[in-house]
Amino acid sequence: MNECYYDKRMDFFYNQTKTDTVDEWTGPQLIVVLCFGTFFCLFIFISNSLVIAAVVKNKRFHFPFYYLLANLAAADFFAGIAYVFLMFNTGPVSKTLTVNRWFLRQGLLDTSLTASLVNLLVIAVERHMSIMRMKIHSNLTKKRVTFLIISIWAIAIFMGAVPTLGWNCLCDITVCSSLAPIYSRSYLVFWSVLNLVVFFIMVVVYIRIYMYVQRKTNVLSSHTSGSISRRRTPVKLMKTVMTVLGAFVVCWTPGLVVLLLDGLNCTHCGIQDVKRWFLLLALLNSVMNPIIYSYKDDEMWGTMKRMICCSSEDKSQERRSSRIPSTVLCRSTDTSGHFIEDGIIQGTICGKGDLSDKGNS
């Protein structure tokens, strides 16, 4: 019967796999990684908080796609927390960690990355359902969307906890991974292949959307009677799809391939030299998601700008309230407004948002 090493610290397992974390995580390379990591995490926290706040604030976003978008932002926000925890528990500190603390460190990363990936897949399916039916939003009910969100996090938490539940090498150190010294190599193969399969499914879905949008674009462009908005929407969708595909391929594929090679026990692949850079690259996907799914959406970007603008204007108006008529405040109390075309409205960004919101409420 194999001996188990639950009471050992991580230096025992790092020595078994001949991984010298002290040499690898010191000097200029460590400073660069920490600087980039800190910047990325700050951006993740701020940008994804704005996305969630925009979905909550703007009633036009109370649809299935935007609920899933807010959940994606929450997953990316969680990824930032996981990476902050990693930065404080890496380098020379890694060897001093207990087994449970190391499981927590990696479990947070696995949970956050899985949640982001599954979110992207669900959003892809939702977009496919909507576009194929020529609708802006799918027919998913709030109950179904809530069930999907709960399922996403259940899957993510389960995948992050699988090694802790027993799929590890604590009782058989001969099958330990070099990148994750207490993870079984078989688990790394399973996890990387599973994610690559999900990635392939996403590619197929988005290619189908792209081909459909391209075909519809050609049809609409040959009919001058079609509305301008109907002709512009497919073009925007094509650009978004290509951006999503490119970002996901660049950010995820290298890391998944490295994990797969480590699981296959490739000792001459130089995976230790690139692991931290590919980790940053995977984190970059959480940085890019709010840009791709939110900032490219004019309404989302406008809502976030109005929140920032109104916040700053409210502060300045408090200082100048005695000299500014109440009729020019961002928040109007008149509830009898009518729809006004965006191009007609003049004035501040906040004023545009409020008139538009009243007209569509």
Side-chain angles (χ1 to χ4, degrees):
M1 182 176 180
N2 294 333
E3 181 181 359
C4 297
Y5 301 92
Y6 294 102
D7 58 339
K8 298 289 186 179
R9 290 193 175 271
M10 288 305 300
D11 58 341
F12 172 81
F13 299 98
Y14 279 112
N15 292 333
Q16 290 292 324
T17 57
K18 299 179 181 179
T19 302
D20 197 344
T21 59
V22 176
D23 293 340
E24 290 185 354
W25 289 89
T26 55
Q29 289 184 335
L30 176 61
I31 295 175
V32 172
V33 171
L34 291 179
C35 287
F36 273 99
T38 302
F39 173 77
F40 286 162
C41 288
L42 288 175
F43 184 84
I44 288 171
F45 292 148
I46 296 172
S47 61
N48 286 287
S49 295
L50 283 173
V51 172
I52 296 172
V55 172
V56 173
K57 179 181 178 64
N58 195 333
K59 292 184 179 180
R60 298 180 188 175
F61 296 149
H62 293 181
F63 293 97
F65 170 75
Y66 289 104
Y67 293 146
L68 294 172
L69 181 66
N71 191 50
L72 175 61
D76 290 329
F77 189 97
F78 186 80
I81 296 175
Y83 194 78
V84 168
F85 188 84
L86 172 65
M87 288 193 296
F88 283 98
N89 292 275
T90 192
V93 180
S94 297
K95 290 190 173 184
T96 66
L97 298 178
T98 63
V99 168
N100 290 334
R101 191 170 181 84
W102 196 94
F103 272 136
L104 176 62
R105 189 189 82 172
Q106 297 304 122
L108 290 174
L109 287 173
D110 293 345
T111 299
S112 62
L113 294 178
T114 303
S116 295
L117 180 61
V118 178
N119 258 293
L120 290 171
L121 176 62
V122 173
I123 289 175
V125 174
E126 193 275 343
R127 288 293 85 196
H128 183 273
M129 292 169 56
S130 302
I131 294 172
M132 292 302 168
R133 296 175 182 177
M134 295 298 293
K135 294 181 178 180
I136 298 177
H137 299 292
S138 64
N139 293 327
L140 290 174
T141 63
K142 289 185 178 181
K143 289 184 178 180
R144 291 182 179 179
V145 173
T146 302
F147 174 77
L148 285 174
I149 291 174
I150 293 174
S151 299
I152 287 169
W153 284 104
I155 293 171
I157 293 172
F158 175 76
M159 291 301 298
V162 165
T164 309
L165 296 175
W167 200 345
N168 54 60
C169 62
L170 293 176
C171 296
D172 186 6
I173 59 176
T174 61
V175 298
C176 287
S177 159
S178 62
L179 290 180
I182 56 178
Y183 275 14
S184 172
R185 289 196 299 270
S186 60
Y187 173 74
L188 286 188
V189 172
F190 163 78
W191 194 85
S192 57
V193 170
L194 177 64
N195 283 277
L196 286 171
V197 169
V198 175
F199 167 74
F200 176 76
I201 294 173
M202 281 187 58
V203 171
V204 171
V205 171
Y206 276 126
I207 288 178
R208 181 175 171 82
I209 294 174
Y210 171 78
M211 294 176 64
Y212 180 81
V213 170
Q214 189 178 46
R215 185 167 65 252
K216 285 295 181 181
T217 302
N218 295 333
V219 173
L220 289 173
S221 62
S222 62
H223 294 81
T224 57
S225 60
S227 66
I228 295 176
S229 60
R230 288 188 64 192
R231 292 199 297 270
R232 285 179 179 175
T233 300
V235 175
K236 291 182 180 180
L237 287 173
M238 282 193 297
K239 292 180 179 179
T240 302
V241 168
M242 296 308 297
T243 304
V244 170
L245 286 175
F248 194 77
V249 169
V250 171
C251 294
W252 280 85
T253 303
L256 291 175
V257 171
V258 165
L259 287 176
L260 181 60
L261 291 175
D262 185 36
L264 296 175
N265 199 24
C266 181
T267 57
H268 304 290
C269 297
I271 55 179
Q272 293 291 343
D273 299 329
V274 297
K275 63 179 183 181
R276 55 183 172 273
W277 304 112
F278 287 166
L279 177 61
L280 282 175
L281 196 58
L283 179 70
L284 184 61
N285 186 239
S286 295
V287 175
M288 298 181 70
N289 283 337
I291 299 175
I292 297 171
Y293 287 99
S294 304
Y295 299 163
K296 291 180 72 68
D297 186 318
D298 295 337
E299 181 70 19
M300 177 68 72
W301 179 233
T303 302
M304 288 190 287
K305 285 197 295 184
R306 288 195 296 272
M307 287 192 299
I308 297 173
C309 170
C310 290
S311 176
S312 61
E313 276 205 8
D314 287 343
K315 292 180 181 178
S316 64
Q317 286 170 357
E318 288 176 2
R319 296 191 297 266
R320 299 179 296 151
S321 58
S322 61
R323 294 176 296 169
I324 300 179
S326 60
T327 55
V328 298
L329 295 177
C330 275
R331 292 291 180 183
S332 172
T333 57
D334 181 13
T335 58
S336 61
H338 300 282
F339 179 79
I340 301 177
E341 292 293 341
D342 291 339
I344 299 177
I345 302 173
Q346 302 294 331
T348 62
I349 296 176
C350 290
K352 292 180 183 178
D354 292 333
L355 288 172
S356 178
D357 287 343
K358 288 193 300 178
N360 288 275
S361 61

